[in-house]
Amino acid sequence: RMQDRLEEYVDVNEPGLFSLMTPVFDPPSGFFRRLGKCILAQDHRDWKWVIVDNGCKNRDVLYLMESFASDSRVKLVRAGEPRGIIGGMRLALEHATGRYVCPVDHDDQLYPDALRVLAASLAAYDWPVLAYTDEDKLLPDGTPGIPSFKPDWDPLLFLNAFYIAHLGVMDRQTALQLDVYSDPLAEGTPDGDAFCRFIAAGHVPLHIPEIVYSWRMHLQSTALRGVEAKPYVTKNQKHVLGRYLRERGLDRAVSIRTNPLPGLAGSWRVQGNAVPIPILVMPGGSVDARRQLKHRLSVSQNISKVCWLRSSPGSWQEALDEFRAERRVVLLSPDCMPLTTDFVNECQAVQQAVPDAALVGGVLQCAEGKVVSAGLAWGMEGLMGSPLAGFAASDYSVGMGSLCFQHCVSSVDARFCMIEASFLRKVLERSGCALADPLL
C-alpha cells in the first residue's frame, strides 16, 4: 500500500506543519529506539519532535533521548518530577511549535510516509482542525497483523468506543484554546479527552482512510491486554464522556453505561429518558404472529398505544392524523418479535444522543440466530443492503463490533424502526400513502 500511494499523496511544501509529542517515563529502551528510528526516517522532512523526559531514571532511555536530541528537529524538555501522561502531554503541547500536533507513544510505529500522507490529506480538505487515520497492531514478533479500517466520523459510535484515537492530529492553537491535557481525571484516555473537547466545541473530525500508524502489542500495552493493562482507564473514559455530554447539553437526556454485550471493559452504551410513544404495526403477517406480537407489546415498556394498520392506503393517513401531536412513532412489522420489553427505551436513547437522526433501528435476526438486517449501506444489493446479513447475531467481533456497538448507518430496516412522525408524514404524502414496506 505504501508503494501504491506514493503518487497518490504528493508532499506539501508547507513549513512547520507538524510537532510530534512523546512524554517518556522509563519505557523499554528497545521500543523507544524503534520509535525514534521511524520518526527520523519520515520522507516528509519538515517536522519537530518534542520529547518530554517525564522523570526518567533508566540510563539507556536517558542516552537515547540525548542521542535523538542531537537532531535539530528534536526538542528535549525536562519535566523534573514525573507528571503522568496528562501532565507530560501538556508540557509537550506547550513546547510544540507546529501548526498541528500529533501525540505518539514510546511503543508506536509510524510508517515512513505517515507525515506526507497527513500533510497531503489535510491540504486536500482545506486544513481541518482535527483528523484521525486508520491503524493496525503489530504482533509481538513485529508483524503488522490486525488492521483497523475505521468509519468516517460517527458521533454515536464515538460514545460507544473511542475508535478515533490513533493517529490523531490536532490544530495546536485550537488545542491550547480548548485547554487540552489539563484534566488529571483523564489520565488514562488523553486522546479521547482531546477529541471530546474539539467535538464539544463543534469541530467535526476528518477521517484519513490510510494506515500510517501501528500500535505495538506487548505485555505492558493496552494494544494486547486492553484496559487490563491500565485498570484506571475505564473510570477515566466514563468521566471524559460525562463531561462531553454536559458540554453538549445532552446530559439531562442521555447517560453512559457499560455495554454488556461484548464483555469488554472500556466499551459503552447510551441510555436515555424514555417517554411513552405509539407503535404502528404494519399490515400483513399471520394470525398467530399478530397474536404473539400483541402479547409482547402488552408487557413492553413506554408504549402509549398500539395502532394496527390495515392494508388500505388511507390507513397510514388515519394513523398519522390520530398521532399528529406525537414527535416520534415506532414502525413494526407483524413478522418481527421484539426480544426485549424495553426496545422503545433504547431507540429513544439513541435518538436523544444523535438528535438529527431521522430513523433508529436495530438488528433483525431469523429464528436460527442469523442476521437478516443490521443497518443498511447504499450500493449493496442494487439499492441498499445489510453488510452483516448472514452472520451469527451473537458474533460481536464482526464488522469492528457493529453487532454490539450503537452506530450510524445509511438507513435502517423499515420493518423495525423509530421514525420522526413529521418525516414519515412527508414521505407518505409524496408517495400518496402507497409505499410498500420494503420500499419504505
Side-chain angles (χ1 to χ4, degrees):
R1 179 57 190 151
M2 283 175 55
Q3 183 64 39
D4 290 345
R5 69 192 182 196
L6 188 61
E7 296 180 2
E8 223 173 301
Y9 297 93
V10 179
D11 205 3
V12 175
N13 185 21
E14 189 82 16
L17 265 185
F18 299 113
S19 284
L20 303 169
M21 306 186 302
T22 308
V24 180
F25 179 62
D26 285 339
S29 59
F31 295 155
F32 186 42
R33 181 183 295 108
R34 293 187 189 103
L35 172 65
K37 287 180 66 176
C38 75
I39 290 176
L40 295 171
Q42 289 296 304
D43 59 16
H44 174 91
R45 307 298 298 173
D46 188 358
W47 46 262
K48 299 292 183 184
W49 183 22
V50 181
I51 302 174
V52 173
D53 175 1
N54 215 353
C56 290
K57 304 295 184 184
N58 185 306
R59 290 184 178 182
D60 290 340
V61 174
L62 290 169
Y63 170 79
L64 285 170
M65 287 192 288
E66 293 285 358
S67 175
F68 293 144
S70 65
D71 189 301
S72 61
R73 297 168 296 179
V74 179
K75 183 172 186 177
L76 179 57
V77 180
R78 305 288 187 184
E81 293 298 316
R83 301 191 182 194
I85 299 171
I86 286 290
M89 290 302 297
R90 180 68 190 195
L91 194 57
L93 176 62
E94 291 170 352
H95 283 83
T97 57
R99 179 172 179 176
Y100 290 95
V101 291
C102 307
V104 183
D105 293 337
H106 70 268
D107 52 359
D108 291 346
Q109 173 177 297
L110 299 184
Y111 290 103
D113 61 353
L115 295 183
R116 172 168 52 84
V117 171
L118 289 180
S121 301
L122 294 168
Y125 285 88
D126 198 24
W127 309 110
V129 301
L130 189 65
Y132 63 96
T133 71
D134 294 342
E135 65 185 76
D136 65 6
K137 292 181 180 179
L138 294 181
L139 300 174
D141 65 358
T143 304
I146 308 177
S148 175
F149 301 105
K150 303 172 186 176
D152 288 345
W153 171 237
D154 184 334
L156 185 57
L157 180 59
F158 180 74
L159 291 174
N160 277 238
F162 284 144
Y163 74 96
I164 41 71
H166 302 125
L167 183 67
V169 187
M170 299 176 285
D171 179 87
R172 179 176 60 86
Q173 291 289 357
T174 308
L176 288 167
Q177 292 167 9
L178 296 175
D179 210 16
V180 168
Y181 307 131
S182 62
D183 185 355
L185 296 179
E187 177 73 8
T189 180
D191 298 315
D193 176 63
F195 269 75
C196 278
R197 291 175 185 270
F198 274 81
I199 297 159
H203 301 293
V204 177
L206 168 70
H207 173 216
I208 300 172
E210 293 287 351
I211 291 178
V212 300
Y213 159 97
S214 283
W215 201 6
R216 197 176 300 278
M217 301 174 72
H218 56 89
L219 290 177
Q220 290 79 41
S221 72
T222 51
L224 179 63
R225 297 173 56 205
V227 297
E228 290 181 11
K230 298 176 181 176
Y232 53 87
V233 167
T234 52
K235 182 179 179 180
N236 295 162
Q237 285 185 352
K238 192 165 187 178
H239 163 75
V240 166
L241 287 170
R243 193 192 65 223
Y244 167 77
L245 292 175
R246 288 194 300 274
E247 291 175 353
R248 291 293 303 271
L250 296 172
D251 58 310
R252 291 187 177 181
V254 178
S255 59
I256 299 292
R257 67 181 176 95
T258 299
N259 188 336
L261 293 178
L264 254 162
S267 57
W268 308 97
R269 209 163 178 83
V270 299
Q271 60 184 8
N273 303 320
V275 296
I277 61 174
I279 306 286
L280 305 187
V281 182
M282 299 178 191
S286 67
V287 173
D288 189 49
R290 292 170 74 87
R291 183 185 299 114
Q292 291 183 44
L293 180 59
K294 184 176 182 179
H295 173 72
R296 173 53 58 91
L297 296 179
S298 69
V299 297
S300 295
Q301 305 169 20
N302 287 306
I303 295 175
S304 60
K305 185 175 181 179
V306 179
C307 180
W308 298 81
L309 295 169
R310 303 185 305 276
S311 56
S312 59
S315 181
W316 284 100
Q317 192 63 55
E318 291 171 11
L320 289 173
D321 287 344
E322 182 178 351
F323 301 122
R324 185 163 292 277
E326 298 286 347
R327 184 178 175 187
R328 303 181 184 96
V329 295
V330 170
L331 302 183
L332 192 59
S333 167
D335 294 322
C336 291
M337 176 65 66
L339 296 182
T340 68
T341 59
D342 64 346
F343 67 97
V344 173
N345 302 19
E346 183 165 8
C347 284
Q348 293 191 64
V350 168
Q351 179 77 59
Q352 290 159 347
V354 189
D356 58 347
L359 300 96
V360 177
V363 176
L364 303 185
Q365 67 182 63
C366 66
E368 290 74 34
K370 299 288 186 180
V371 173
V372 175
S373 179
L376 303 175
W378 289 109
M380 291 195 67
E381 301 172 11
L383 181 61
M384 61 168 52
S386 180
L388 300 180
F391 286 99
S394 58
D395 187 356
Y396 298 139
S397 65
V398 170
M400 286 187 65
S402 294
L403 291 174
C404 65
F405 290 134
Q406 300 157 324
H407 62 284
C408 295
V409 293
S410 300
S411 190
V412 299
D413 199 301
R415 288 172 289 186
F416 164 53
C417 66
M418 189 177 75
I419 185 169
E420 291 280 347
S422 59
F423 178 70
L424 177 60
R425 191 173 288 109
K426 289 178 183 177
V427 170
L428 293 171
E429 285 173 355
R430 290 179 183 178
S431 69
C433 294
L435 287 177
D437 296 348
L439 184 56
L440 178 62

